[in-house]
Amino acid sequence: GDSVTQKEGLVTLTEGLPVMLNCTYQTIYSNAFLFWYVHYLNESPRLLLKSSTDNKRTEHQGFHATLHKSSSSFHLQKSSAQLSDSALYYCALSPTNYAQGLTFGLGTRVSVFP
Amino acid sequence: EAAVTQSPRSKVAVTGGKVTLSCHQTNNHDYMYWYRQDTGHGLRLIHYSYVADSTEKGDIPDGYKASRPSQENFSLILELASLSQTAVYFCASRLENTLYFGAGTRLSVL
């Protein structure tokens, strides 16, 4: 079945350093979309990025990701982390069964320190 | 204005008791979902619905029922709450491939 793997459970880093969160996926659906959702403390999870076409970079709020179908990956990157980036980040996949919503990875908690 | 509203925001329940979590959306979306969030398990789908008066089982439906009496309302029911159901529960509505989440309900079963 469909699955999403996020290798890192926790990422801690110093403000100003780059950050990359890994996301790989498995699906039989050739036109699957990948997403990054962000969940700040005491807020609702919300959409951060949605994949575009294969090998095309998509950007929002300083974050960017590129869908690579050849490696089934959609890694999230930012060149300079800010304290306000501390949150829980979920990678998600639109599953083969459209009605079932999205399949989420386990999430990566990012903690940015001064 | 919050388009997906969950109530209550937090609840303490006793083992074996009945718990109802409510969700109301003003997005006019057909699809609605209940997810459970646990550390180390991410967001897991419990039940979903794409039309009023009909619900479908998700990936972890055991111990849960769902009810969709109208397009706007979607409830999650725990008939006999158990310790293992302590978690944060999120409701969401969906437009195309974007989910719009509520603020969550923190449930503690003692």
Side-chain angles (χ1 to χ4, degrees), chain A residues 51-58 65-71 73-74:
Chain A
S51 66
S52 183
T53 51
D54 194 16
N55 297 315
K56 183 172 180 179
R57 173 167 156 155
T58 182
T66 303
L67 178 64
H68 292 295
K69 290 188 178 181
S70 60
S71 58
S73 68
F74 190 58

mmCIF file with all atom_site columns, all heavy atoms in Angstrom, chain A residues 51-58 65-71 73-74:
data_model
loop_
_atom_site.group_PDB
_atom_site.id
_atom_site.type_symbol
_atom_site.label_atom_id
_atom_site.label_alt_id
_atom_site.label_comp_id
_atom_site.label_asym_id
_atom_site.label_entity_id
_atom_site.label_seq_id
_atom_site.pdbx_PDB_ins_code
_atom_site.Cartn_x
_atom_site.Cartn_y
_atom_site.Cartn_z
_atom_site.occupancy
_atom_site.B_iso_or_equiv
_atom_site.pdbx_formal_charge
_atom_site.auth_seq_id
_atom_site.auth_comp_id
_atom_site.auth_asym_id
_atom_site.auth_atom_id
_atom_site.pdbx_PDB_model_num
ATOM 1   N N   . SER A 1 51 ? 3.599  19.538 -3.971  1.00 0.00 ? 51 SER A N   1
ATOM 2   C CA  . SER A 1 51 ? 4.497  19.225 -5.080  1.00 0.00 ? 51 SER A CA  1
ATOM 3   C C   . SER A 1 51 ? 3.926  19.711 -6.409  1.00 0.00 ? 51 SER A C   1
ATOM 4   O O   . SER A 1 51 ? 2.714  19.827 -6.587  1.00 0.00 ? 51 SER A O   1
ATOM 5   C CB  . SER A 1 51 ? 4.745  17.709 -5.167  1.00 0.00 ? 51 SER A CB  1
ATOM 6   O OG  . SER A 1 51 ? 3.559  17.027 -5.507  1.00 0.00 ? 51 SER A OG  1
ATOM 7   N N   . SER A 1 52 ? 4.847  20.004 -7.313  1.00 0.00 ? 52 SER A N   1
ATOM 8   C CA  . SER A 1 52 ? 4.483  20.371 -8.678  1.00 0.00 ? 52 SER A CA  1
ATOM 9   C C   . SER A 1 52 ? 4.807  19.176 -9.584  1.00 0.00 ? 52 SER A C   1
ATOM 10  O O   . SER A 1 52 ? 4.711  18.032 -9.143  1.00 0.00 ? 52 SER A O   1
ATOM 11  C CB  . SER A 1 52 ? 5.252  21.617 -9.089  1.00 0.00 ? 52 SER A CB  1
ATOM 12  O OG  . SER A 1 52 ? 4.898  22.043 -10.369 1.00 0.00 ? 52 SER A OG  1
ATOM 13  N N   . THR A 1 53 ? 5.246  19.445 -10.782 1.00 0.00 ? 53 THR A N   1
ATOM 14  C CA  . THR A 1 53 ? 5.595  18.346 -11.678 1.00 0.00 ? 53 THR A CA  1
ATOM 15  C C   . THR A 1 53 ? 6.955  17.763 -11.313 1.00 0.00 ? 53 THR A C   1
ATOM 16  O O   . THR A 1 53 ? 7.707  18.354 -10.520 1.00 0.00 ? 53 THR A O   1
ATOM 17  C CB  . THR A 1 53 ? 5.610  18.823 -13.137 1.00 0.00 ? 53 THR A CB  1
ATOM 18  O OG1 . THR A 1 53 ? 6.431  19.997 -13.214 1.00 0.00 ? 53 THR A OG1 1
ATOM 19  C CG2 . THR A 1 53 ? 4.206  19.174 -13.597 1.00 0.00 ? 53 THR A CG2 1
ATOM 20  N N   . ASP A 1 54 ? 7.265  16.630 -11.883 1.00 0.00 ? 54 ASP A N   1
ATOM 21  C CA  . ASP A 1 54 ? 8.510  15.938 -11.586 1.00 0.00 ? 54 ASP A CA  1
ATOM 22  C C   . ASP A 1 54 ? 9.709  16.854 -11.819 1.00 0.00 ? 54 ASP A C   1
ATOM 23  O O   . ASP A 1 54 ? 9.804  17.522 -12.850 1.00 0.00 ? 54 ASP A O   1
ATOM 24  C CB  . ASP A 1 54 ? 8.617  14.694 -12.468 1.00 0.00 ? 54 ASP A CB  1
ATOM 25  C CG  . ASP A 1 54 ? 9.700  13.744 -12.000 1.00 0.00 ? 54 ASP A CG  1
ATOM 26  O OD1 . ASP A 1 54 ? 10.177 13.859 -10.857 1.00 0.00 ? 54 ASP A OD1 1
ATOM 27  O OD2 . ASP A 1 54 ? 10.085 12.868 -12.800 1.00 0.00 ? 54 ASP A OD2 1
ATOM 28  N N   . ASN A 1 55 ? 10.619 16.879 -10.848 1.00 0.00 ? 55 ASN A N   1
ATOM 29  C CA  . ASN A 1 55 ? 11.869 17.644 -10.895 1.00 0.00 ? 55 ASN A CA  1
ATOM 30  C C   . ASN A 1 55 ? 11.679 19.158 -10.879 1.00 0.00 ? 55 ASN A C   1
ATOM 31  O O   . ASN A 1 55 ? 12.637 19.894 -11.123 1.00 0.00 ? 55 ASN A O   1
ATOM 32  C CB  . ASN A 1 55 ? 12.705 17.248 -12.121 1.00 0.00 ? 55 ASN A CB  1
ATOM 33  C CG  . ASN A 1 55 ? 13.129 15.800 -12.072 1.00 0.00 ? 55 ASN A CG  1
ATOM 34  O OD1 . ASN A 1 55 ? 13.583 15.311 -11.040 1.00 0.00 ? 55 ASN A OD1 1
ATOM 35  N ND2 . ASN A 1 55 ? 12.954 15.093 -13.172 1.00 0.00 ? 55 ASN A ND2 1
ATOM 36  N N   . LYS A 1 56 ? 10.483 19.606 -10.555 1.00 0.00 ? 56 LYS A N   1
ATOM 37  C CA  . LYS A 1 56 ? 10.248 21.049 -10.462 1.00 0.00 ? 56 LYS A CA  1
ATOM 38  C C   . LYS A 1 56 ? 10.193 21.467 -9.000  1.00 0.00 ? 56 LYS A C   1
ATOM 39  O O   . LYS A 1 56 ? 9.502  20.857 -8.191  1.00 0.00 ? 56 LYS A O   1
ATOM 40  C CB  . LYS A 1 56 ? 8.956  21.446 -11.170 1.00 0.00 ? 56 LYS A CB  1
ATOM 41  C CG  . LYS A 1 56 ? 8.733  22.952 -11.160 1.00 0.00 ? 56 LYS A CG  1
ATOM 42  C CD  . LYS A 1 56 ? 7.562  23.347 -12.025 1.00 0.00 ? 56 LYS A CD  1
ATOM 43  C CE  . LYS A 1 56 ? 7.378  24.864 -11.982 1.00 0.00 ? 56 LYS A CE  1
ATOM 44  N NZ  . LYS A 1 56 ? 6.263  25.327 -12.825 1.00 0.00 ? 56 LYS A NZ  1
ATOM 45  N N   . ARG A 1 57 ? 10.897 22.551 -8.676  1.00 0.00 ? 57 ARG A N   1
ATOM 46  C CA  . ARG A 1 57 ? 10.970 23.058 -7.306  1.00 0.00 ? 57 ARG A CA  1
ATOM 47  C C   . ARG A 1 57 ? 9.714  23.865 -6.998  1.00 0.00 ? 57 ARG A C   1
ATOM 48  O O   . ARG A 1 57 ? 9.224  24.637 -7.823  1.00 0.00 ? 57 ARG A O   1
ATOM 49  C CB  . ARG A 1 57 ? 12.217 23.919 -7.186  1.00 0.00 ? 57 ARG A CB  1
ATOM 50  C CG  . ARG A 1 57 ? 12.397 24.663 -5.888  1.00 0.00 ? 57 ARG A CG  1
ATOM 51  C CD  . ARG A 1 57 ? 13.818 25.189 -5.817  1.00 0.00 ? 57 ARG A CD  1
ATOM 52  N NE  . ARG A 1 57 ? 13.957 26.331 -4.938  1.00 0.00 ? 57 ARG A NE  1
ATOM 53  C CZ  . ARG A 1 57 ? 15.107 26.649 -4.345  1.00 0.00 ? 57 ARG A CZ  1
ATOM 54  N NH1 . ARG A 1 57 ? 16.188 25.912 -4.542  1.00 0.00 ? 57 ARG A NH1 1
ATOM 55  N NH2 . ARG A 1 57 ? 15.179 27.715 -3.571  1.00 0.00 ? 57 ARG A NH2 1
ATOM 56  N N   . THR A 1 58 ? 9.215  23.686 -5.777  1.00 0.00 ? 58 THR A N   1
ATOM 57  C CA  . THR A 1 58 ? 8.098  24.476 -5.305  1.00 0.00 ? 58 THR A CA  1
ATOM 58  C C   . THR A 1 58 ? 8.524  25.173 -4.022  1.00 0.00 ? 58 THR A C   1
ATOM 59  O O   . THR A 1 58 ? 9.266  24.604 -3.215  1.00 0.00 ? 58 THR A O   1
ATOM 60  C CB  . THR A 1 58 ? 6.845  23.596 -5.108  1.00 0.00 ? 58 THR A CB  1
ATOM 61  O OG1 . THR A 1 58 ? 5.765  24.401 -4.685  1.00 0.00 ? 58 THR A OG1 1
ATOM 62  C CG2 . THR A 1 58 ? 7.072  22.486 -4.110  1.00 0.00 ? 58 THR A CG2 1
ATOM 63  N N   . ALA A 1 65 ? 10.951 22.554 -1.862  1.00 0.00 ? 65 ALA A N   1
ATOM 64  C CA  . ALA A 1 65 ? 11.065 21.103 -2.033  1.00 0.00 ? 65 ALA A CA  1
ATOM 65  C C   . ALA A 1 65 ? 10.921 20.785 -3.509  1.00 0.00 ? 65 ALA A C   1
ATOM 66  O O   . ALA A 1 65 ? 10.269 21.526 -4.254  1.00 0.00 ? 65 ALA A O   1
ATOM 67  C CB  . ALA A 1 65 ? 9.992  20.376 -1.222  1.00 0.00 ? 65 ALA A CB  1
ATOM 68  N N   . THR A 1 66 ? 11.539 19.690 -3.923  1.00 0.00 ? 66 THR A N   1
ATOM 69  C CA  . THR A 1 66 ? 11.472 19.252 -5.313  1.00 0.00 ? 66 THR A CA  1
ATOM 70  C C   . THR A 1 66 ? 11.031 17.798 -5.343  1.00 0.00 ? 66 THR A C   1
ATOM 71  O O   . THR A 1 66 ? 11.630 16.957 -4.659  1.00 0.00 ? 66 THR A O   1
ATOM 72  C CB  . THR A 1 66 ? 12.836 19.393 -6.008  1.00 0.00 ? 66 THR A CB  1
ATOM 73  O OG1 . THR A 1 66 ? 13.275 20.754 -5.926  1.00 0.00 ? 66 THR A OG1 1
ATOM 74  C CG2 . THR A 1 66 ? 12.746 18.980 -7.473  1.00 0.00 ? 66 THR A CG2 1
ATOM 75  N N   . LEU A 1 67 ? 10.016 17.506 -6.122  1.00 0.00 ? 67 LEU A N   1
ATOM 76  C CA  . LEU A 1 67 ? 9.581  16.124 -6.282  1.00 0.00 ? 67 LEU A CA  1
ATOM 77  C C   . LEU A 1 67 ? 10.514 15.406 -7.245  1.00 0.00 ? 67 LEU A C   1
ATOM 78  O O   . LEU A 1 67 ? 10.726 15.864 -8.378  1.00 0.00 ? 67 LEU A O   1
ATOM 79  C CB  . LEU A 1 67 ? 8.149  16.079 -6.824  1.00 0.00 ? 67 LEU A CB  1
ATOM 80  C CG  . LEU A 1 67 ? 7.567  14.690 -7.088  1.00 0.00 ? 67 LEU A CG  1
ATOM 81  C CD1 . LEU A 1 67 ? 7.447  13.899 -5.791  1.00 0.00 ? 67 LEU A CD1 1
ATOM 82  C CD2 . LEU A 1 67 ? 6.219  14.799 -7.798  1.00 0.00 ? 67 LEU A CD2 1
ATOM 83  N N   . HIS A 1 68 ? 11.091 14.316 -6.798  1.00 0.00 ? 68 HIS A N   1
ATOM 84  C CA  . HIS A 1 68 ? 11.936 13.478 -7.649  1.00 0.00 ? 68 HIS A CA  1
ATOM 85  C C   . HIS A 1 68 ? 11.309 12.096 -7.726  1.00 0.00 ? 68 HIS A C   1
ATOM 86  O O   . HIS A 1 68 ? 11.463 11.275 -6.818  1.00 0.00 ? 68 HIS A O   1
ATOM 87  C CB  . HIS A 1 68 ? 13.361 13.386 -7.082  1.00 0.00 ? 68 HIS A CB  1
ATOM 88  C CG  . HIS A 1 68 ? 14.120 14.668 -7.143  1.00 0.00 ? 68 HIS A CG  1
ATOM 89  N ND1 . HIS A 1 68 ? 14.469 15.276 -8.336  1.00 0.00 ? 68 HIS A ND1 1
ATOM 90  C CD2 . HIS A 1 68 ? 14.601 15.461 -6.155  1.00 0.00 ? 68 HIS A CD2 1
ATOM 91  C CE1 . HIS A 1 68 ? 15.127 16.385 -8.083  1.00 0.00 ? 68 HIS A CE1 1
ATOM 92  N NE2 . HIS A 1 68 ? 15.222 16.531 -6.767  1.00 0.00 ? 68 HIS A NE2 1
ATOM 93  N N   . LYS A 1 69 ? 10.618 11.832 -8.809  1.00 0.00 ? 69 LYS A N   1
ATOM 94  C CA  . LYS A 1 69 ? 9.951  10.544 -8.942  1.00 0.00 ? 69 LYS A CA  1
ATOM 95  C C   . LYS A 1 69 ? 10.961 9.409  -9.091  1.00 0.00 ? 69 LYS A C   1
ATOM 96  O O   . LYS A 1 69 ? 10.702 8.279  -8.683  1.00 0.00 ? 69 LYS A O   1
ATOM 97  C CB  . LYS A 1 69 ? 8.985  10.562 -10.123 1.00 0.00 ? 69 LYS A CB  1
ATOM 98  C CG  . LYS A 1 69 ? 7.768  11.445 -9.888  1.00 0.00 ? 69 LYS A CG  1
ATOM 99  C CD  . LYS A 1 69 ? 6.747  11.284 -10.999 1.00 0.00 ? 69 LYS A CD  1
ATOM 100 C CE  . LYS A 1 69 ? 5.522  12.121 -10.716 1.00 0.00 ? 69 LYS A CE  1
ATOM 101 N NZ  . LYS A 1 69 ? 4.481  11.960 -11.780 1.00 0.00 ? 69 LYS A NZ  1
ATOM 102 N N   . SER A 1 70 ? 12.115 9.703  -9.646  1.00 0.00 ? 70 SER A N   1
ATOM 103 C CA  . SER A 1 70 ? 13.116 8.652  -9.856  1.00 0.00 ? 70 SER A CA  1
ATOM 104 C C   . SER A 1 70 ? 13.601 8.071  -8.538  1.00 0.00 ? 70 SER A C   1
ATOM 105 O O   . SER A 1 70 ? 13.954 6.894  -8.467  1.00 0.00 ? 70 SER A O   1
ATOM 106 C CB  . SER A 1 70 ? 14.306 9.211  -10.641 1.00 0.00 ? 70 SER A CB  1
ATOM 107 O OG  . SER A 1 70 ? 14.905 10.279 -9.917  1.00 0.00 ? 70 SER A OG  1
ATOM 108 N N   . SER A 1 71 ? 13.618 8.906  -7.499  1.00 0.00 ? 71 SER A N   1
ATOM 109 C CA  . SER A 1 71 ? 14.053 8.431  -6.180  1.00 0.00 ? 71 SER A CA  1
ATOM 110 C C   . SER A 1 71 ? 12.907 8.436  -5.174  1.00 0.00 ? 71 SER A C   1
ATOM 111 O O   . SER A 1 71 ? 13.128 8.178  -3.986  1.00 0.00 ? 71 SER A O   1
ATOM 112 C CB  . SER A 1 71 ? 15.197 9.306  -5.652  1.00 0.00 ? 71 SER A CB  1
ATOM 113 O OG  . SER A 1 71 ? 14.786 10.669 -5.575  1.00 0.00 ? 71 SER A OG  1
ATOM 114 N N   . SER A 1 73 ? 11.224 10.850 -3.777  1.00 0.00 ? 73 SER A N   1
ATOM 115 C CA  . SER A 1 73 ? 11.575 11.728 -2.658  1.00 0.00 ? 73 SER A CA  1
ATOM 116 C C   . SER A 1 73 ? 10.962 13.107 -2.817  1.00 0.00 ? 73 SER A C   1
ATOM 117 O O   . SER A 1 73 ? 10.680 13.565 -3.935  1.00 0.00 ? 73 SER A O   1
ATOM 118 C CB  . SER A 1 73 ? 13.092 11.838 -2.537  1.00 0.00 ? 73 SER A CB  1
ATOM 119 O OG  . SER A 1 73 ? 13.634 12.527 -3.642  1.00 0.00 ? 73 SER A OG  1
ATOM 120 N N   . PHE A 1 74 ? 10.797 13.761 -1.673  1.00 0.00 ? 74 PHE A N   1
ATOM 121 C CA  . PHE A 1 74 ? 10.257 15.132 -1.640  1.00 0.00 ? 74 PHE A CA  1
ATOM 122 C C   . PHE A 1 74 ? 10.805 15.783 -0.369  1.00 0.00 ? 74 PHE A C   1
ATOM 123 O O   . PHE A 1 74 ? 10.097 16.050 0.585   1.00 0.00 ? 74 PHE A O   1
ATOM 124 C CB  . PHE A 1 74 ? 8.726  15.101 -1.647  1.00 0.00 ? 74 PHE A CB  1
ATOM 125 C CG  . PHE A 1 74 ? 8.071  16.442 -1.851  1.00 0.00 ? 74 PHE A CG  1
ATOM 126 C CD1 . PHE A 1 74 ? 8.324  17.215 -2.966  1.00 0.00 ? 74 PHE A CD1 1
ATOM 127 C CD2 . PHE A 1 74 ? 7.156  16.925 -0.920  1.00 0.00 ? 74 PHE A CD2 1
ATOM 128 C CE1 . PHE A 1 74 ? 7.709  18.444 -3.157  1.00 0.00 ? 74 PHE A CE1 1
ATOM 129 C CE2 . PHE A 1 74 ? 6.523  18.160 -1.097  1.00 0.00 ? 74 PHE A CE2 1
ATOM 130 C CZ  . PHE A 1 74 ? 6.812  18.915 -2.215  1.00 0.00 ? 74 PHE A CZ  1
#
